[in-house]
Coordinates of all heavy atoms in Angstrom, one line a residue:
V1 N -8.7 -30.7 14.3 CA -8.5 -30.2 12.9 C -9.1 -28.9 12.8 O -10.3 -28.7 13.1 CB -9.1 -31.2 11.9 CG1 -9.0 -30.6 10.5 CG2 -8.4 -32.5 12.0
P2 N -8.4 -27.8 12.5 CA -9.0 -26.5 12.4 C -10.0 -26.4 11.2 O -9.8 -27.1 10.2 CB -7.8 -25.5 12.1 CG -6.6 -26.4 12.2 CD -7.0 -27.8 12.3
S3 N -11.0 -25.7 11.4 CA -12.0 -25.5 10.3 C -12.7 -24.2 10.4 O -12.6 -23.5 11.5 CB -13.0 -26.7 10.3 OG -13.8 -26.6 11.5
R4 N -13.3 -23.7 9.3 CA -14.1 -22.5 9.4 C -15.2 -22.7 8.3 O -15.0 -23.4 7.4 CB -13.3 -21.3 9.1 CG -12.6 -21.3 7.8 CD -11.6 -20.1 7.7 NE -10.8 -20.2 6.5 CZ -9.7 -21.0 6.3 NH1 -9.3 -21.8 7.3 NH2 -9.1 -21.1 5.2
R5 N -16.3 -22.0 8.5 CA -17.4 -22.0 7.5 C -17.6 -20.6 7.0 O -17.5 -19.6 7.6 CB -18.6 -22.5 8.2 CG -18.5 -23.9 8.7 CD -19.8 -24.4 9.3 NE -19.6 -25.7 10.0 CZ -20.1 -26.8 9.4 NH1 -20.8 -26.8 8.3 NH2 -19.9 -27.9 10.0
T6 N -18.0 -20.6 5.7 CA -18.3 -19.4 5.0 C -19.6 -19.6 4.2 O -19.6 -20.7 3.5 CB -17.2 -18.9 4.1 OG1 -16.0 -18.7 4.9 CG2 -17.5 -17.7 3.3
V7 N -20.5 -18.7 4.2 CA -21.6 -18.8 3.3 C -21.3 -18.0 2.1 O -21.0 -16.8 2.1 CB -22.9 -18.2 4.0 CG1 -24.1 -18.2 3.0 CG2 -23.3 -19.0 5.2
L8 N -21.3 -18.6 1.0 CA -21.0 -18.0 -0.3 C -22.2 -18.1 -1.2 O -22.7 -19.1 -1.6 CB -19.8 -18.8 -1.0 CG -19.2 -18.2 -2.2 CD1 -18.6 -16.8 -2.0 CD2 -18.1 -19.2 -2.7
R9 N -22.8 -16.9 -1.5 CA -24.0 -16.8 -2.3 C -23.6 -16.7 -3.8 O -22.9 -15.9 -4.2 CB -24.8 -15.6 -1.8 CG -25.2 -15.7 -0.4 CD -26.5 -15.0 -0.1 NE -26.7 -14.9 1.3 CZ -27.2 -15.9 2.1 NH1 -27.5 -17.0 1.5 NH2 -27.4 -15.7 3.4
L10 N -24.2 -17.7 -4.5 CA -24.0 -17.6 -6.0 C -24.4 -16.3 -6.5 O -25.5 -15.8 -6.2 CB -24.7 -18.8 -6.7 CG -24.2 -20.2 -6.3 CD1 -25.1 -21.2 -7.0 CD2 -22.8 -20.3 -6.7
G11 N -23.6 -15.7 -7.4 CA -24.0 -14.4 -8.0 C -23.6 -13.2 -7.2 O -23.7 -12.1 -7.7
A12 N -23.2 -13.4 -5.9 CA -22.9 -12.2 -5.1 C -21.7 -11.5 -5.7 O -20.8 -12.1 -6.2 CB -22.6 -12.6 -3.7
E13 N -21.7 -10.2 -5.6 CA -20.5 -9.4 -6.2 C -19.2 -9.8 -5.4 O -18.2 -10.0 -6.1 CB -20.8 -7.9 -6.0 CG -19.8 -7.0 -6.7 CD -19.7 -7.3 -8.2 OE1 -20.7 -7.6 -8.9 OE2 -18.6 -7.1 -8.8
S14 N -19.3 -9.8 -4.1 CA -18.1 -10.2 -3.3 C -18.4 -10.6 -1.9 O -19.5 -10.2 -1.4 CB -17.1 -9.1 -3.3 OG -17.6 -8.0 -2.6
T15 N -17.6 -11.5 -1.3 CA -17.7 -11.9 0.0 C -16.3 -11.9 0.7 O -15.4 -12.4 0.2 CB -18.2 -13.4 0.1 OG1 -19.5 -13.5 -0.6 CG2 -18.4 -13.9 1.5
L16 N -16.2 -11.2 1.8 CA -15.0 -11.1 2.6 C -14.7 -12.4 3.4 O -15.6 -12.8 4.1 CB -15.0 -9.9 3.5 CG -13.7 -9.6 4.3 CD1 -12.6 -9.2 3.3 CD2 -14.0 -8.4 5.3
V17 N -13.5 -13.0 3.2 CA -13.1 -14.2 3.9 C -11.7 -14.1 4.3 O -11.0 -13.1 3.9 CB -13.4 -15.5 3.1 CG1 -14.9 -15.6 2.8 CG2 -12.6 -15.5 1.8
Q18 N -11.2 -15.1 5.0 CA -9.8 -15.2 5.3 C -9.2 -16.5 4.8 O -9.9 -17.5 4.8 CB -9.5 -15.2 6.9 CG -9.8 -13.9 7.5 CD -9.4 -13.9 9.0 OE1 -9.4 -14.9 9.6 NE2 -9.2 -12.7 9.5
D19 N -8.0 -16.5 4.3 CA -7.3 -17.7 3.9 C -6.8 -18.5 5.0 O -6.9 -18.2 6.2 CB -6.3 -17.4 2.8 CG -5.0 -16.8 3.3 OD1 -4.9 -16.6 4.5 OD2 -4.1 -16.5 2.5
D20 N -6.1 -19.6 4.7 CA -5.5 -20.5 5.8 C -4.5 -19.8 6.7 O -4.3 -20.1 7.8 CB -4.8 -21.7 5.2 CG -5.8 -22.6 4.4 OD1 -7.0 -22.5 4.7 OD2 -5.3 -23.4 3.6
A21 N -3.9 -18.7 6.2 CA -2.9 -18.0 6.9 C -3.5 -16.7 7.6 O -2.7 -15.9 8.2 CB -1.7 -17.5 6.0
G22 N -4.8 -16.5 7.5 CA -5.4 -15.4 8.2 C -5.5 -14.1 7.4 O -5.9 -13.1 7.9
R23 N -5.0 -14.2 6.1 CA -5.0 -12.9 5.2 C -6.4 -12.7 4.7 O -7.1 -13.7 4.3 CB -4.0 -13.1 4.1 CG -2.6 -13.2 4.6 CD -1.7 -13.5 3.4 NE -2.0 -14.9 3.0 CZ -1.2 -15.7 2.3 NH1 0.0 -15.3 2.0 NH2 -1.5 -16.9 1.9
Q24 N -6.8 -11.5 4.6 CA -8.2 -11.1 4.1 C -8.2 -11.2 2.6 O -7.3 -10.7 1.9 CB -8.6 -9.8 4.6 CG -9.0 -9.7 6.1 CD -9.7 -8.4 6.4 OE1 -9.4 -7.4 5.9 NE2 -10.6 -8.5 7.4
M25 N -9.3 -11.7 2.1 CA -9.4 -11.7 0.6 C -10.9 -11.6 0.3 O -11.8 -11.9 1.1 CB -8.8 -13.0 0.0 CG -9.4 -14.3 0.6 SD -8.5 -15.7 -0.1 CE -9.4 -17.0 0.6
L26 N -11.2 -11.2 -0.9 CA -12.6 -11.2 -1.4 C -12.8 -12.3 -2.4 O -11.9 -12.5 -3.3 CB -12.8 -9.9 -2.2 CG -12.9 -8.6 -1.4 CD1 -13.0 -7.4 -2.3 CD2 -14.1 -8.6 -0.4
L27 N -13.9 -13.0 -2.2 CA -14.3 -14.0 -3.2 C -15.3 -13.3 -4.0 O -16.3 -12.7 -3.5 CB -14.9 -15.2 -2.5 CG -14.0 -16.0 -1.6 CD1 -14.7 -17.2 -1.0 CD2 -12.7 -16.5 -2.3
M28 N -15.1 -13.3 -5.4 CA -15.9 -12.4 -6.2 C -16.7 -13.3 -7.3 O -16.1 -14.2 -7.9 CB -15.0 -11.4 -6.9 CG -14.3 -10.6 -6.0 SD -13.1 -9.5 -6.7 CE -12.0 -10.6 -7.7
R29 N -18.0 -12.9 -7.5 CA -18.8 -13.4 -8.5 C -18.8 -15.0 -8.6 O -18.5 -15.5 -9.6 CB -18.5 -12.8 -9.8 CG -18.8 -11.3 -9.9 CD -18.4 -10.7 -11.1 NE -16.9 -10.7 -11.4 CZ -16.0 -10.0 -10.8 NH1 -16.4 -9.1 -9.9 NH2 -14.7 -10.0 -11.1
P30 N -19.1 -15.7 -7.5 CA -19.2 -17.1 -7.5 C -20.3 -17.6 -8.5 O -21.4 -17.1 -8.5 CB -19.4 -17.6 -6.1 CG -20.1 -16.4 -5.5 CD -19.5 -15.2 -6.2
R31 N -19.9 -18.7 -9.2 CA -20.9 -19.2 -10.2 C -20.5 -20.7 -10.5 O -19.4 -21.0 -10.4 CB -20.9 -18.4 -11.5 CG -19.6 -18.4 -12.2 CD -19.4 -17.2 -13.1 NE -18.1 -17.2 -13.7 CZ -17.0 -16.7 -13.2 NH1 -17.0 -16.3 -11.9 NH2 -15.9 -16.8 -13.8
F32 N -21.5 -21.4 -10.9 CA -21.2 -22.8 -11.4 C -21.1 -22.8 -12.9 O -21.9 -22.1 -13.6 CB -22.3 -23.7 -11.0 CG -22.1 -24.3 -9.6 CD1 -22.8 -23.8 -8.6 CD2 -21.3 -25.4 -9.4 CE1 -22.7 -24.4 -7.3 CE2 -21.1 -25.9 -8.2 CZ -21.8 -25.4 -7.1
E33 N -20.0 -23.4 -13.4 CA -19.9 -23.6 -14.8 C -19.8 -25.2 -15.0 O -18.8 -25.8 -14.7 CB -18.6 -23.0 -15.3 CG -18.7 -21.5 -15.3 CD -17.4 -20.8 -15.8 OE1 -16.5 -21.4 -16.4 OE2 -17.4 -19.5 -15.7
G34 N -21.0 -25.7 -15.3 CA -21.1 -27.2 -15.3 C -21.1 -27.6 -13.9 O -21.8 -27.2 -13.0
R35 N -20.2 -28.5 -13.6 CA -20.0 -29.1 -12.2 C -18.9 -28.4 -11.4 O -18.5 -28.9 -10.4 CB -19.8 -30.6 -12.3 CG -21.0 -31.3 -13.0 CD -20.8 -32.7 -13.1 NE -21.0 -33.3 -11.8 CZ -21.0 -34.6 -11.5 NH1 -20.8 -35.5 -12.5 NH2 -21.1 -35.1 -10.3
V36 N -18.4 -27.3 -12.0 CA -17.2 -26.6 -11.4 C -17.7 -25.3 -10.7 O -18.4 -24.5 -11.4 CB -16.1 -26.3 -12.4 CG1 -15.0 -25.5 -11.8 CG2 -15.6 -27.6 -13.0
L37 N -17.4 -25.1 -9.5 CA -17.6 -23.8 -8.8 C -16.4 -22.9 -9.1 O -15.3 -23.2 -8.8 CB -17.8 -24.0 -7.3 CG -17.9 -22.7 -6.5 CD1 -19.2 -21.9 -6.9 CD2 -17.8 -23.0 -5.0
R38 N -16.7 -21.8 -9.8 CA -15.6 -20.9 -10.2 C -15.8 -19.6 -9.5 O -16.9 -19.0 -9.4 CB -15.7 -20.6 -11.7 CG -14.6 -19.6 -12.2 CD -14.2 -19.8 -13.6 NE -13.5 -21.0 -13.8 CZ -13.3 -21.6 -14.9 NH1 -13.6 -21.0 -16.0 NH2 -12.6 -22.7 -15.0
V39 N -14.7 -19.0 -8.9 CA -14.8 -17.8 -8.1 C -13.6 -17.0 -8.4 O -12.4 -17.5 -8.5 CB -14.8 -18.2 -6.6 CG1 -14.8 -17.0 -5.7 CG2 -15.9 -19.2 -6.2
G40 N -13.8 -15.7 -8.5 CA -12.6 -14.8 -8.6 C -12.1 -14.5 -7.2 O -12.9 -14.6 -6.2
L41 N -10.9 -14.3 -7.0 CA -10.3 -14.1 -5.7 C -9.3 -13.0 -5.7 O -8.5 -12.9 -6.6 CB -9.6 -15.4 -5.3 CG -9.1 -15.7 -4.0 CD1 -9.1 -17.2 -3.7 CD2 -7.7 -15.2 -3.8
R42 N -9.4 -12.0 -4.7 CA -8.5 -10.9 -4.6 C -8.0 -10.8 -3.2 O -8.8 -10.6 -2.3 CB -9.2 -9.6 -5.0 CG -8.2 -8.4 -4.9 CD -8.8 -7.1 -5.2 NE -9.4 -7.1 -6.6 CZ -10.6 -6.6 -6.8 NH1 -11.4 -6.1 -5.9 NH2 -11.0 -6.6 -8.1
Y43 N -6.7 -10.9 -3.0 CA -6.1 -10.6 -1.7 C -6.0 -9.1 -1.4 O -5.5 -8.4 -2.3 CB -4.7 -11.2 -1.6 CG -4.6 -12.7 -1.3 CD1 -4.6 -13.6 -2.4 CD2 -4.8 -13.1 0.0 CE1 -4.6 -14.9 -2.1 CE2 -4.8 -14.5 0.2 CZ -4.7 -15.4 -0.8 OH -4.7 -16.7 -0.6
L44 N -6.6 -8.6 -0.3 CA -6.7 -7.2 -0.1 C -5.4 -6.5 0.2 O -5.1 -5.5 -0.4 CB -7.7 -6.9 1.0 CG -9.1 -7.4 0.8 CD1 -10.0 -7.1 2.0 CD2 -9.7 -6.8 -0.5
D45 N -4.6 -7.1 1.0 CA -3.3 -6.5 1.4 C -2.2 -6.6 0.3 O -1.4 -5.8 0.1 CB -2.7 -7.1 2.7 CG -3.6 -6.7 3.9 OD1 -4.4 -5.8 3.8 OD2 -3.4 -7.4 4.9
L46 N -2.3 -7.7 -0.4 CA -1.3 -8.0 -1.4 C -1.6 -7.5 -2.8 O -0.8 -7.4 -3.7 CB -1.0 -9.5 -1.5 CG -0.6 -10.2 -0.1 CD1 -0.6 -11.7 -0.2 CD2 0.7 -9.6 0.4
G47 N -2.9 -7.4 -3.1 CA -3.4 -6.9 -4.4 C -3.4 -8.0 -5.5 O -3.6 -7.8 -6.6
H48 N -3.1 -9.3 -5.1 CA -3.1 -10.4 -6.0 C -4.5 -10.8 -6.5 O -5.4 -10.8 -5.7 CB -2.4 -11.6 -5.4 CG -1.0 -11.4 -5.0 ND1 0.0 -11.0 -5.8 CD2 -0.4 -11.6 -3.8 CE1 1.1 -10.9 -5.2 NE2 0.9 -11.3 -3.9
E49 N -4.7 -11.1 -7.8 CA -5.9 -11.5 -8.3 C -5.8 -12.9 -8.9 O -4.8 -13.1 -9.7 CB -6.5 -10.6 -9.3 CG -6.8 -9.2 -8.7 CD -8.0 -8.5 -9.4 OE1 -8.7 -9.1 -10.2 OE2 -8.1 -7.3 -9.1
L50 N -6.6 -13.8 -8.5 CA -6.6 -15.2 -8.9 C -8.0 -15.7 -9.3 O -9.0 -15.0 -9.0 CB -6.1 -16.1 -7.8 CG -4.7 -15.8 -7.2 CD1 -4.8 -15.0 -6.0 CD2 -4.0 -17.1 -6.9
T51 N -8.0 -16.9 -9.9 CA -9.3 -17.6 -10.1 C -9.2 -18.9 -9.4 O -8.2 -19.6 -9.5 CB -9.5 -17.8 -11.6 OG1 -9.5 -16.6 -12.3 CG2 -10.8 -18.5 -11.9
M52 N -10.3 -19.3 -8.7 CA -10.3 -20.5 -8.0 C -11.5 -21.4 -8.5 O -12.6 -20.9 -8.6 CB -10.5 -20.3 -6.5 CG -10.6 -21.6 -5.7 SD -10.8 -21.3 -3.9 CE -12.3 -20.4 -3.8
D53 N -11.2 -22.6 -8.8 CA -12.2 -23.6 -9.2 C -12.2 -24.7 -8.1 O -11.1 -25.1 -7.6 CB -11.8 -24.3 -10.5 CG -11.9 -23.3 -11.7 OD1 -12.5 -22.3 -11.6 OD2 -11.3 -23.7 -12.8
R54 N -13.4 -25.1 -7.8 CA -13.5 -26.3 -6.9 C -14.4 -27.3 -7.6 O -15.5 -26.9 -8.1 CB -14.1 -25.9 -5.5 CG -13.0 -25.2 -4.7 CD -13.5 -25.1 -3.3 NE -12.4 -24.6 -2.4 CZ -12.5 -24.4 -1.2 NH1 -13.6 -24.6 -0.5 NH2 -11.5 -23.9 -0.5
Y55 N -14.0 -28.5 -7.5 CA -14.8 -29.6 -8.1 C -14.4 -30.9 -7.5 O -13.4 -31.0 -6.8 CB -14.6 -29.6 -9.6 CG -13.1 -29.7 -10.0 CD1 -12.5 -30.9 -10.2 CD2 -12.4 -28.6 -10.2 CE1 -11.2 -31.0 -10.6 CE2 -11.1 -28.6 -10.6 CZ -10.4 -29.8 -10.8 OH -9.1 -29.9 -11.2
L56 N -15.3 -32.0 -7.7 CA -15.0 -33.3 -7.2 C -14.3 -34.1 -8.3 O -14.7 -34.1 -9.4 CB -16.3 -34.0 -6.7 CG -17.0 -33.3 -5.6 CD1 -18.3 -34.0 -5.3 CD2 -16.1 -33.3 -4.3
H57 N -13.3 -34.9 -7.9 CA -12.6 -35.7 -8.8 C -12.1 -36.9 -8.0 O -11.3 -36.8 -7.1 CB -11.5 -35.0 -9.5 CG -10.7 -35.8 -10.4 ND1 -11.2 -36.2 -11.7 CD2 -9.5 -36.4 -10.3 CE1 -10.3 -36.9 -12.3 NE2 -9.2 -37.0 -11.5
G58 N -12.4 -38.1 -8.4 CA -11.9 -39.3 -7.8 C -12.1 -39.4 -6.3 O -11.3 -39.9 -5.6
G59 N -13.3 -38.9 -5.8 CA -13.6 -39.0 -4.4 C -12.9 -37.9 -3.6 O -13.0 -37.8 -2.3
H60 N -12.2 -36.9 -4.2 CA -11.6 -35.8 -3.5 C -12.2 -34.5 -4.0 O -12.7 -34.4 -5.1 CB -10.1 -35.7 -3.8 CG -9.3 -36.9 -3.3 ND1 -9.2 -38.1 -3.9 CD2 -8.7 -37.0 -2.1 CE1 -8.5 -38.9 -3.2 NE2 -8.2 -38.3 -2.1
M61 N -12.2 -33.5 -3.1 CA -12.5 -32.1 -3.6 C -11.2 -31.5 -4.0 O -10.2 -31.6 -3.3 CB -13.1 -31.3 -2.5 CG -13.5 -29.9 -3.0 SD -13.9 -28.7 -1.8 CE -12.4 -28.3 -1.1
V62 N -11.2 -31.0 -5.2 CA -10.0 -30.3 -5.8 C -10.2 -28.8 -5.8 O -11.2 -28.3 -6.1 CB -9.7 -30.8 -7.2 CG1 -8.5 -30.1 -7.8 CG2 -9.6 -32.3 -7.3
E63 N -9.2 -28.1 -5.3 CA -9.1 -26.7 -5.4 C -8.0 -26.3 -6.4 O -6.9 -26.7 -6.2 CB -8.8 -26.1 -4.0 CG -8.8 -24.6 -4.0 CD -8.5 -24.0 -2.6 OE1 -7.3 -24.0 -2.3 OE2 -9.5 -23.7 -1.9
H64 N -8.4 -25.7 -7.5 CA -7.5 -25.3 -8.5 C -7.4 -23.8 -8.6 O -8.3 -23.2 -9.0 CB -8.0 -25.9 -9.9 CG -7.1 -25.7 -11.0 ND1 -7.4 -26.2 -12.3 CD2 -5.9 -25.1 -11.2 CE1 -6.4 -25.9 -13.1 NE2 -5.5 -25.2 -12.5
L65 N -6.2 -23.3 -8.3 CA -6.0 -21.8 -8.3 C -5.1 -21.5 -9.5 O -4.1 -22.1 -9.8 CB -5.2 -21.4 -7.0 CG -6.0 -21.5 -5.8 CD1 -5.1 -21.3 -4.6 CD2 -7.2 -20.5 -5.8
R66 N -5.6 -20.4 -10.2 CA -4.8 -19.9 -11.3 C -4.4 -18.4 -11.0 O -5.2 -17.6 -10.6 CB -5.6 -19.9 -12.6 CG -5.9 -21.2 -13.1 CD -6.8 -21.1 -14.4 NE -7.2 -22.5 -14.8 CZ -8.2 -23.1 -14.4 NH1 -9.0 -22.6 -13.4 NH2 -8.5 -24.3 -14.8
Y67 N -3.1 -18.1 -11.2 CA -2.6 -16.8 -10.9 C -2.0 -16.3 -12.2 O -0.8 -16.5 -12.4 CB -1.5 -17.0 -9.8 CG -1.0 -15.7 -9.2 CD1 -0.1 -15.8 -8.1 CD2 -1.3 -14.5 -9.7 CE1 0.4 -14.7 -7.5 CE2 -0.7 -13.3 -9.1 CZ 0.1 -13.4 -8.0 OH 0.6 -12.3 -7.4
P68 N -2.8 -15.7 -13.0 CA -2.3 -15.3 -14.4 C -1.1 -14.3 -14.4 O -0.3 -14.4 -15.3 CB -3.5 -14.7 -15.1 CG -4.5 -14.5 -14.0 CD -4.1 -15.3 -12.8
D69 N -1.1 -13.4 -13.5 CA 0.0 -12.4 -13.5 C 1.4 -13.1 -13.4 O 2.4 -12.6 -13.8 CB -0.1 -11.4 -12.4 CG -1.3 -10.4 -12.7 OD1 -1.8 -10.4 -13.8 OD2 -1.6 -9.7 -11.8
K70 N 1.5 -14.2 -12.7 CA 2.7 -14.9 -12.5 C 2.8 -16.2 -13.3 O 3.7 -17.0 -13.1 CB 2.9 -15.2 -11.0 CG 3.1 -13.9 -10.2 CD 3.7 -14.2 -8.8 CE 3.9 -12.9 -8.1 NZ 4.8 -13.0 -7.0
R71 N 1.8 -16.4 -14.1 CA 1.7 -17.7 -14.9 C 1.9 -18.9 -14.0 O 2.7 -19.8 -14.3 CB 2.7 -17.6 -16.1 CG 2.4 -16.5 -17.0 CD 3.3 -16.3 -18.2 NE 4.5 -17.2 -18.2 CZ 5.2 -17.4 -19.2 NH1 4.9 -16.9 -20.4 NH2 6.3 -18.2 -19.1
L72 N 1.1 -19.0 -13.0 CA 1.2 -20.0 -12.0 C -0.1 -20.7 -11.8 O -1.2 -20.0 -11.8 CB 1.7 -19.4 -10.7 CG 1.9 -20.3 -9.5 CD1 3.0 -21.3 -9.7 CD2 2.1 -19.5 -8.2
E73 N -0.1 -22.0 -11.6 CA -1.3 -22.8 -11.3 C -1.0 -23.7 -10.1 O 0.1 -24.2 -10.0 CB -1.8 -23.6 -12.4 CG -2.3 -22.8 -13.6 CD -3.1 -23.7 -14.6 OE1 -3.6 -24.7 -14.2 OE2 -3.1 -23.2 -15.8
M74 N -1.9 -23.9 -9.2 CA -1.7 -24.7 -8.0 C -3.0 -25.6 -7.9 O -4.1 -25.1 -8.1 CB -1.5 -23.9 -6.8 CG -0.3 -23.0 -6.8 SD -0.3 -21.9 -5.4 CE -1.4 -20.6 -6.0
R75 N -2.8 -26.8 -7.4 CA -4.0 -27.6 -7.1 C -3.8 -28.2 -5.7 O -2.7 -28.6 -5.4 CB -4.1 -28.8 -8.1 CG -4.7 -28.3 -9.4 CD -5.0 -29.6 -10.3 NE -5.6 -29.1 -11.5 CZ -4.9 -28.9 -12.6 NH1 -3.6 -29.1 -12.6 NH2 -5.5 -28.5 -13.7
R76 N -4.9 -28.3 -4.9 CA -4.8 -28.9 -3.6 C -5.9 -30.0 -3.7 O -7.0 -29.7 -4.2 CB -5.1 -28.0 -2.5 CG -4.1 -26.9 -2.3 CD -4.2 -26.2 -1.0 NE -5.4 -25.6 -0.7 CZ -5.7 -25.0 0.4 NH1 -4.9 -25.0 1.4 NH2 -6.9 -24.3 0.6
L77 N -5.7 -31.1 -3.1 CA -6.6 -32.2 -3.0 C -7.1 -32.3 -1.5 O -6.2 -32.3 -0.6 CB -6.1 -33.6 -3.4 CG -5.6 -33.7 -4.9 CD1 -5.0 -35.0 -5.1 CD2 -6.7 -33.4 -5.8
F78 N -8.4 -32.4 -1.3 CA -8.9 -32.5 0.0 C -9.6 -33.9 0.1 O -10.2 -34.3 -0.8 CB -9.9 -31.4 0.3 CG -9.4 -30.0 0.3 CD1 -9.2 -29.3 -0.8 CD2 -9.0 -29.5 1.5 CE1 -8.7 -28.0 -0.8 CE2 -8.5 -28.2 1.6 CZ -8.3 -27.5 0.4
R79 N -9.5 -34.5 1.3 CA -10.2 -35.7 1.5 C -11.1 -35.6 2.8 O -10.8 -34.8 3.6 CB -9.2 -36.9 1.7 CG -8.3 -36.8 2.9 CD -7.4 -38.0 2.9 NE -6.4 -37.8 4.0 CZ -6.5 -38.2 5.2 NH1 -7.6 -38.8 5.6 NH2 -5.6 -38.0 6.1
R80 N -12.1 -36.4 2.8 CA -13.0 -36.3 3.9 C -12.4 -37.0 5.2 O -11.8 -38.0 5.1 CB -14.3 -37.0 3.6 CG -15.2 -37.1 4.8 CD -16.6 -37.8 4.4 NE -17.6 -36.8 4.7 CZ -18.5 -36.4 4.0 NH1 -18.7 -36.9 2.8 NH2 -19.4 -35.5 4.4
I81 N -12.5 -36.3 6.3 CA -12.0 -36.8 7.6 C -13.1 -37.3 8.4 O -14.1 -36.6 8.6 CB -11.2 -35.8 8.3 CG1 -10.0 -35.3 7.5 CG2 -10.8 -36.3 9.7 CD1 -9.2 -34.2 8.2
E82 N -13.1 -38.6 8.8 CA -14.2 -39.1 9.5 C -13.9 -39.4 11.0 O -12.8 -39.5 11.3 CB -14.7 -40.4 8.8 CG -15.1 -40.0 7.4 CD -15.9 -41.1 6.7 OE1 -16.7 -41.8 7.4 OE2 -15.8 -41.2 5.5

């Protein structure tokens, strides 16, 4: 199973990372709002700006992306692999 690790510092202005397809993006101003990790996200080559929330729900990690320019929302559920 492919994996990668990123250190994301709360309050950092931005952190350069790659998505699952290898595209470069900036994670911006990560912060906790209650139990939700909220991060701004900007794809460098595409210019797209999104908001990403990550939280636990029903034993899964949920990644909730909002793309306001296209009025689109996406959710991915992750489960622990043992």
Side-chain angles (χ1 to χ4, degrees):
V1 175
S3 66
R4 60 190 173 280
R5 294 180 188 257
T6 299
V7 175
L8 187 60
R9 301 207 188 282
L10 293 177
E13 188 61 30
S14 64
T15 303
L16 182 64
V17 297
Q18 289 186 338
D19 72 0
D20 295 342
R23 297 173 292 205
Q24 288 191 327
M25 59 185 183
L26 289 176
L27 299 179
M28 302 176 303
R29 296 174 297 285
R31 63 206 176 275
F32 274 101
E33 294 182 6
R35 299 178 75 176
V36 176
L37 175 64
R38 178 156 291 168
V39 180
L41 189 152
R42 179 184 302 135
Y43 280 95
L44 297 181
D45 292 343
L46 305 172
H48 300 303
E49 293 209 14
L50 301 96
T51 301
M52 177 177 63
D53 293 342
R54 284 195 173 177
Y55 53 90
L56 296 176
H57 179 75
H60 294 85
M61 184 189 72
V62 178
E63 181 180 82
H64 182 177
L65 292 169
R66 291 180 185 85
Y67 190 173
D69 289 348
K70 294 196 177 200
R71 298 181 351 163
L72 178 68
E73 292 190 29
M74 301 169 278
R75 284 190 178 92
R76 295 195 301 176
L77 298 176
F78 294 85
R79 64 181 171 88
R80 173 176 239 132
I81 298 174
E82 302 193 33

